[in-house]
Amino acid sequence: MEPAALSPARRRADLDRLRSQTFDLVVIGGGVTGAGIALDAATRGLSVALVEQRDLAAGTSSRSSKLIHGGLRYLEQFNFGLVREALRERSLLLADLAPHLVRPVSFLYPLRHGFPERVYVAAGVTLYDTLGGARHLPGHEHLTRRQAMRLVPALRGDALTGAVRYWDAQVDDARHTMELARTAASHGATILTSTRVTDLLREGERVVGVLARDQEGGEDIRVRGRQVINATGVWADRIQEMAGRGRIRVRASKGIHLVVPKDRIHADSGLILRTETSVLFVIPWGRHWLIGTTDTDWDLDLAHPAASARDIQYLLDRVNKVLRTPLTHADVEGVQAGLRPLLYGESEASSKLSREHAVTQTVAGMLTIAGGKYTTYRVMAEDAVDAAARNLPQRVARSVTDRTPLLGAQGWHALWNRRHQLAEEVGLHGSRIEHLLGRYGSLVTEVLDLLADRPELGERIDGAEDYLKVEAVYAASHEGALHLDDLLTRRTRISIETFDRGLTAARDVAPLMGEVHGWDEDDIAREIEHYDARVAAEVESQRMPDDRTADAARMGARDVRVGGAG
């Protein structure tokens, strides 16, 4: 299997396929669930088209806590099945499916109430380790107060009496979702971003496809499919409304995360802290820390959820309770706000709503899948394709995604072992090669091939020292990045990893993307203008006191995609 490039030429070819082909499945939504469905279907031999109104992972799937985990807190809710299933998926991702993208991360759980609390927590993490099955991560360990302080010197002395350390895994969610879609394309799937579903096609009462608008060219395309799967997360109800009915009800819960530089918190492990209603994570993130999350109901704009000053202060207040040197607003490099698609439950508190998923027949010819959590995307995708397969005329093979590595996985371990030789061969520092291997896996050879032809692309992006210029070119030529926002927010994390939110980098990389997409000077200026406006609106929203004023401020920037919402 040759790795497919989500290139401009590929996009044109995929648009032709949308116009002319009847697909077994048409998937609406380019988040992790939709991309997972596209891969599952394509590897079973089905023809599949995925349409996404903005970018791959533009919604929830780029704004999670970036953890591949069972959910330790779900054990307290006695949801052992969900935890066991998620931990099985964690093992698959770590060992086989995406070892280049998913890596171990440890968390310190500070204890404050002596022996009874230690026994209670120990029971939970022991069960967590046990449910995890095959051991791909170290087991938990008990630490004295002194040992814990040595591991995390940033903690206040009165914040703990001892600690328990356990292990989970983390992922760059947006890159993982993109690689899912790209792997699906390599197996024959048609992947179209900037393609917004405006209506459903029907024959009588049956849905037989979708009407989709290419938001880059403005064309309306009739996309025909034997089955349509609504995998739009928090937008699920809107697609069901097009169908005139729907059994699944989704509530959007907003979660925000803060990004602060690594030197602001002196620690060699992440933290998991109790709050009044849930838990708070302090997660290692390269040369940064990711701090979150909140869990509040959201009924405003779904495309661009806004973090308010109150949200930011909430997180600062909670984490500062345990830090020797408190964080301030001046320490915050970036803020990420996302929406979780929770299935309605009996409780009104969003933190109590179901994280399990559901697949239902919305109307004849269309299924809806919603709920779930990032870690279990593969199971969700399998269930959705199983349900669709029952309505297809042909016999459909069983899912094989539990043994289908993502692009970049095969050969990654060998390349990692020879990373020092690779660094000498291409003339880059060893740490730079390690960084590239952690983002591209064995596909790093494609990136380095571009560098061999144009050595000047080995320079750092201005204002974003973690990334090279070649990565901007590769994102546009191979990873489906159509706009500056795609590159700076999802293919890289420059928008939340720099204090200027990527404004400097935008000016450096816009001409590089323009070379791939054929932008003229006006196009480049327009892209920069859109990105500047988006950053200004986000920063302004984060000064607002509450959700409604923050949402109004964020909506001040129009989406770069023609006809896009918000």
Side-chain angles (χ1 to χ4, degrees):
M1 177 192 72
E2 285 295 316
L6 299 180
S7 63
R10 170 79 186 218
R11 189 174 194 278
R12 290 190 293 270
D14 280 352
L15 281 170
D16 286 341
R17 277 189 280 273
L18 281 195
R19 298 182 189 102
S20 61
Q21 189 171 337
T22 297
F23 298 90
D24 292 319
L25 298 184
V26 175
V27 182
I28 311 172
V32 71
T33 306
I37 291 169
L39 177 59
D40 189 281
T43 53
R44 297 196 202 195
L46 298 175
S47 60
V48 56
L50 180 151
V51 290
E52 159 59 41
Q53 65 176 338
R54 292 187 292 154
D55 183 30
L56 296 168
T60 304
S61 295
S62 61
R63 309 178 195 189
S64 74
S65 293
K66 322 264 186 285
L67 293 178
I68 298 295
H69 65 146
L72 191 59
R73 68 190 178 102
Y74 298 125
L75 292 179
E76 290 188 309
Q77 301 171 10
F78 302 105
N79 201 337
F80 302 128
L82 177 63
V83 175
R84 182 185 295 108
E85 179 180 78
L87 291 177
R88 176 179 180 269
E89 295 304 308
R90 184 188 70 180
S91 292
L92 281 173
L93 287 161
L94 277 167
D96 302 311
L97 304 185
H100 58 308
L101 298 174
V102 180
R103 53 188 59 90
V105 60
S106 78
F107 289 100
L108 189 78
Y109 189 115
L111 302 170
R112 303 194 64 175
H113 304 294
F115 185 72
E117 183 187 22
R118 185 180 287 275
V119 172
Y120 178 75
V121 173
V125 292
T126 299
L127 180 59
Y128 197 67
D129 286 347
T130 303
L131 288 173
R135 181 59 58 82
H136 297 292
L137 294 171
H140 73 278
E141 57 181 329
H142 288 265
L143 303 178
T144 65
R145 179 176 172 277
R146 179 175 294 181
Q147 289 171 325
M149 295 288 290
R150 192 178 302 129
L151 186 66
V152 185
L155 287 172
R156 284 171 41 177
D158 60 356
L160 72 165
T161 59
V164 175
R165 186 190 194 190
Y166 75 98
W167 291 80
D168 247 321
Q170 70 176 164
V171 68
D172 185 328
D173 47 8
R175 288 204 62 78
H176 173 259
T177 297
M178 181 275 298
E179 292 293 15
L180 268 176
R182 196 175 161 194
T183 305
S186 299
H187 286 282
T190 297
I191 306 292
L192 261 302
T193 59
S194 276
T195 307
R196 180 166 58 97
V197 170
T198 57
D199 205 351
L200 301 176
L201 304 181
R202 298 174 185 271
E203 289 183 2
E205 296 299 311
R206 184 178 184 83
V207 171
V208 294
V210 301
L211 183 64
R213 167 155 291 194
D214 169 20
Q215 298 198 111
E216 301 301 314
E219 177 189 2
D220 290 322
I221 303 172
R222 298 171 66 85
V223 187
R224 302 190 68 83
R226 297 178 181 89
Q227 287 285 299
V228 173
I229 300 181
N230 170 15
T232 55
V234 293
W235 284 270
D237 289 351
R238 295 190 180 181
I239 301 298
Q240 289 183 124
E241 287 170 7
M242 290 182 186
R245 61 171 293 191
R247 299 179 181 178
I248 290 180
R249 296 178 65 210
V250 175
R251 176 182 290 179
S253 170
K254 184 178 69 171
I256 81 156
H257 294 79
L258 309 180
V259 181
V260 302
K262 198 66 175 285
D263 63 8
R264 301 306 197 269
I265 301 175
H266 187 191
D268 293 318
S269 172
L271 293 170
I272 178 172
L273 308 169
R274 283 276 189 184
T275 67
E276 302 91 322
T277 58
S278 185
V279 295
L280 181 74
F281 286 103
V282 179
I283 306 166
W285 183 251
R287 299 199 304 171
H288 316 268
W289 295 100
L290 198 64
I291 302 171
T293 180
T294 58
D295 199 350
T296 55
D297 212 21
W298 179 264
D299 60 1
L300 300 168
D301 179 61
L302 296 180
H304 305 292
S308 67
R310 182 165 59 193
D311 294 326
I312 295 169
Q313 192 61 53
Y314 172 88
L315 291 180
L316 290 175
D317 289 345
R318 297 311 179 277
V319 74
N320 283 341
K321 286 183 177 181
V322 302
L323 293 182
R324 187 185 302 273
T325 303
L327 297 173
T328 69
H329 286 270
D331 295 314
V332 177
E333 293 174 285
V335 181
Q336 168 192 284
L339 300 175
R340 304 177 192 89
L342 303 179
L343 300 181
Y344 267 101
E346 295 179 1
S347 170
E348 288 303 306
S350 64
S351 60
K352 300 294 185 183
L353 296 182
S354 176
R355 296 309 303 271
E356 297 192 47
H357 66 274
V359 183
T360 68
Q361 186 89 41
T362 305
V363 293
M366 188 175 99
L367 298 165
T368 295
I369 180 167
K373 57 202 298 282
Y374 194 102
T375 303
T376 56
Y377 79 88
R378 195 196 62 80
V379 177
M380 295 170 65
E382 181 178 340
D383 288 350
V385 177
D386 282 347
R390 290 192 282 271
N391 298 314
L392 293 174
Q394 71 269 42
R395 181 182 177 278
V396 178
R398 297 183 65 175
S399 176
V400 295
T401 53
D402 60 345
R403 50 191 184 277
T404 303
L406 301 193
L407 291 180
Q410 291 184 321
W412 174 76
H413 292 99
L415 277 172
W416 180 261
N417 289 341
R418 58 181 300 269
R419 62 193 182 279
H420 301 301
Q421 296 98 303
L422 195 59
E424 290 181 10
E425 291 169 10
V426 300
L428 290 176
H429 193 277
S431 62
R432 187 68 70 182
I433 291 294
E434 291 180 358
H435 177 77
L436 293 174
L437 282 167
R439 285 171 49 73
Y440 303 99
S442 56
L443 293 179
V444 73
T445 55
E446 293 186 340
V447 180
L448 297 178
D449 284 346
L450 293 178
L451 204 55
D453 293 335
R454 297 179 60 187
E456 73 276 10
L457 295 179
E459 297 173 4
R460 294 182 298 186
I461 293 173
D462 193 16
E465 58 187 79
D466 282 342
Y467 302 95
L468 300 179
K469 292 181 178 181
V470 69
E471 298 183 76
V473 174
Y474 187 80
S477 63
H478 287 70
E479 296 181 338
L482 301 180
H483 297 282
L484 272 180
D485 192 52
D486 303 340
L487 168 65
L488 298 173
T489 306
R490 288 171 289 277
R491 302 306 181 277
T492 69
R493 295 302 188 152
I494 292 170
S495 67
I496 59 171
E497 292 177 349
T498 57
F499 279 106
D500 75 347
R501 310 292 175 94
L503 294 178
T504 302
R507 284 144 178 80
D508 201 20
V509 299
L512 297 174
M513 290 191 72
E515 293 175 13
V516 178
H517 290 301
W519 295 344
D520 60 23
E521 289 185 5
D522 288 342
D523 295 326
I524 291 172
R526 192 177 304 114
E527 284 286 327
I528 293 173
E529 180 184 354
H530 273 292
Y531 187 78
D532 287 355
R534 198 218 79 178
V535 169
E538 283 193 350
V539 171
E540 181 65 15
S541 72
Q542 291 156 20
R543 298 190 181 108
M544 295 295 105
D546 54 40
D547 283 352
R548 293 204 173 274
T549 54
D551 177 69
R554 179 60 185 88
M555 293 296 286
R558 194 171 66 85
D559 197 287
V560 67
R561 288 170 166 82
V562 176

